[in-house]
């Protein structure tokens, strides 16, 4: 059964940090590119990071570049989203999702909100940043 499970959300003050986790079932982790998305109240879902299945060269959207980074624990089939210098506008529900297409195609799907191309989704985790 394909499964993606996010965890690590919470409340933090502006300027603080959080680490989110995305634990994927083995086949998904090994053969899919994993995207991170977020959706704030009243806004469309935004794709922010895409992690290559090989772990090479993650793609970061401009809104998070320089503040968010990715790490992986292949023994746990888990991808971590390290969020630093958080801002109130980072408040959202964060989701991870899996894309089986080529990396460049998945980047395009990511930038278009993931309504296409991402076949498996986690349940989401809330991040609240207070100013």
């Amino acid at each position: 059964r394909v499964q993606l499970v996010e965890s690590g959300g919470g409340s933090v003050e502006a300027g603080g940090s959080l680490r989110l986790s995305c634990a994927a079932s083995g086949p998904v982790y090994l053969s899919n590119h994993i995207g991170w998305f977020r959706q704030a109240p009243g806004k469309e879902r935004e794709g922010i990071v895409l992690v290559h299945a090989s772990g090479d060269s993650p793609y970061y959207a401009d809104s998070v570049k320089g503040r968010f980074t990715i790490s992986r624990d292949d023994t746990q089939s888990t991808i971590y989203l390290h969020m630093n210098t958080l801002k109130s506008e980072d408040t959202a529900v964060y989701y991870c999702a899996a894309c089986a297409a080529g990396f460049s195609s998945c980047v395009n799907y990511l930038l278009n909100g993931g309504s296409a191309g991402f076949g498996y989704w986690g349940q989401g985790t809330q991040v609240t940043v207070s100013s």
Side-chain angles (χ1 to χ4, degrees), residues 50-73:
L50 185 68
V51 185
H52 199 286
S54 70
D56 294 335
S57 304
Y59 171 86
Y60 296 96
D62 288 344
S63 58
V64 302
K65 194 177 297 182
R67 299 189 299 123
F68 291 11
T69 59
I70 288 292
S71 65
R72 296 161 56 111
D73 183 344

Side-chain angles (χ1 to χ4, degrees), residues 25-57:
S25 58
V28 172
Y29 186 84
L30 293 173
S31 61
N32 286 258
H33 311 303
I34 303 297
W36 280 97
F37 296 81
R38 63 186 182 184
Q39 189 163 23
K43 295 190 176 181
E44 293 189 354
R45 188 168 59 204
E46 176 190 13
I48 56 173
V49 181
L50 185 68
V51 185
H52 199 286
S54 70
D56 294 335
S57 304

Side-chain angles (χ1 to χ4, degrees), residues 8-12 16-20 81-84 86 126-129:
S11 297
V12 64
S17 300
L18 277 176
R19 187 187 76 170
L20 305 184
L81 179 66
H82 303 268
M83 307 188 297
N84 301 307
L86 284 162
Q126 175 71 46
V127 171
T128 302
V129 184

Side-chain angles (χ1 to χ4, degrees), residues 37 45 97-101 105-121:
F37 296 81
R45 188 168 59 204
C99 180
S105 295
C106 291
V107 169
N108 287 330
Y109 294 137
L110 180 95
L111 294 177
N112 283 282
S115 57
F118 286 83
Y120 303 105
W121 290 80

